[in-house]
Amino acid sequence: MKHIDIIDIFEKKELIGTKVTVCGWVRTSRDSKNMAFIELNDGTSLKHLQIVIDKAELSDISDFMKLGTSLKVEGTLVNSAVAEDSVEINAENIVMLGECPPEYPLQKKRHTLEYLRTIPHLRVRTNTFNAVFRVRSVVSAAVHEFFQSRHFTYIHTPLITASDCEGAGEMFKVTTIGYSNEYKNEEDYNADDFFGRRAALSVSGQLEGEVAAMAMGKIYTFGPSFRAEKSNTPRHVAEFWHVEPEVAFAELPDIIEIAEDMIKYIIKAVLTKCPEEMKFFNAHFEKGLIEKLENVINNDFAIMTYTEAIELLKKSGKDFQYPVEWGCDLQTEHEKYISEEICKKPVFLTDYPKEIKSFYMKQNADGKTVAATDLLVPGVGEIIGCSEREADLDKLLEAMEIRGMTLEDYEHYIALRRFGSVPHSGFGLGLERIILYITGMQNIRDVILYPRTVGSIY
Ligand code: 4AD
């Protein structure tokens, strides 16, 4: 269907005075005695395009005026009669592509985000979700641009796996047979299944990413990860998009530098490519958002050890719900205090106790901590989990044995430490988490097309 994107109608000044064809959905409409006005949106721009109808020229327009109706409009593009520096179309011919009855749920009133979650197939047609998904697209492209321009190879790691990267046991099983009492035990059941052994959806591409990095040097993966955590919070979904670089010959400070540069690169891309969307979020979701992001670009992130953070939390005089002691896992309330009240900017917390972190992290010389870091940002909390990997075979085996892991499931991973092992590091960035930070949206369910959460799958 030959037509021009509405974003081009706004941006290409040379089109003014020419005949154009646009398509879109009716967002608002207004009728008066001689004239009628339709605001049309085709999803390429946050701004709607005004269609001006002279009722003497076009009769029988009542069906075109209904919200949600899809139209093809031909007419002359002219400077707007009222809005400075804008354009509108004087309609000459309108074709209805799809009618929309009055029960269309997106009528004029402002709907709550909670209500919109119940209509994921239609909420994309609101300004908020239109802006969210354009920002999400620009963030994703920026991730690729950042790594591609720095000699990283994009690797596709498997989504179905036989090993548990994070060791938390929060994996979705992959099976083609239902369990039945006929099986004597789980082993027999797994043996009869598609792969002949237990399989699950991957929580992280890291383990296979390390395999690729041990040949390609610098790699990244960018795909979905799955977690069957029963965390019903505004920051957890069961299916999220995971950016995971893995870098050979990199120690913890090197990977921290890459992570900080990447975050700044992504934010710059969004501020440059989505100015209208960012103004919208700044006005409707987080006052001062643009200024916050400009500060992030122009300043160094903070770095603090876990041990320092524990001391600050203890000295804070705050009445935390979860008590703070060295060795405890930091809770959201602790992370918020450190990033929002102490640092007031993104902070890398480093060197966590080894007992609360994963088996693959490099053990520090103190015997108590690992070379790991989480990036915490005000308002969201953790957006990156990062570490230098344990490159020493004996230490890795010891960490796995302490956790009671089945070594056969990790044969390839272990072998990397036998054949030319090198210091290497990597991290995982949750795509939805950084989108929350950049847009000021409060709930992860509102930055992904179809959120999958415990007890809910639309
Ligand atoms: O800290 P995590 O668990 O680290 C890993 O998975 C490592 N294997 C990554 C690596 O080193 N390659 O997860 C990394 C990030 C978190 O910081 C968070 O942003 C995101 O993934 N994440 C989730 N996002 C949404 N919903 C969930 N349930 C998430 N779980 C983790």
Side-chain angles (χ1 to χ4, degrees), residues 165-166 203-206 227 229 235-238 240 242-246 360 374 382-387 389 426-433 444:
C165 174
E166 290 310 306
V203 298
S204 159
Q206 178 194 327
R227 299 206 179 170
E229 301 168 273
R235 297 178 310 135
H236 289 86
V237 271
F240 67 98
H242 211 172
V243 178
E244 296 186 276
E246 195 66 40
Y360 53 75
D374 285 353
E382 182 199 323
I383 64 168
I384 281 181
C386 171
S387 66
R389 318 308 190 188
F427 65 79
L429 165 73
L431 184 74
E432 289 75 21
R433 298 254 178 109
I444 198 161

Side-chain angles (χ1 to χ4, degrees), residues 30-91:
R30 172 162 67 84
D31 203 356
S32 68
K33 195 156 164 261
N34 302 319
M35 308 292 285
F37 304 90
I38 290 172
E39 299 267 317
L40 204 66
N41 189 293
D42 69 352
T44 60
S45 149
L46 193 57
K47 204 163 124 190
H48 311 327
L49 175 63
Q50 173 146 285
I51 311 297
V52 182
I53 302 168
D54 181 346
K55 288 163 80 174
E57 304 275 324
L58 291 176
S59 53
D60 205 10
I61 60 165
S62 61
D63 280 347
F64 302 160
M65 306 296 281
K66 293 180 183 149
L67 304 197
T69 302
S70 49
L71 303 176
K72 178 174 162 190
V73 179
E74 288 162 21
T76 306
L77 187 67
V78 296
N79 281 310
S80 163
V82 281
E84 213 183 299
D85 202 27
S86 195
V87 288
E88 58 195 20
I89 290 181
N90 287 334

Side-chain angles (χ1 to χ4, degrees), residues 1-4 21-23 71-72 95 97:
M1 200 175 278
K2 242 191 163 10
H3 69 285
I4 300 177
T21 303
V22 294
C23 297
L71 303 176
K72 178 174 162 190
V95 179
L97 301 174

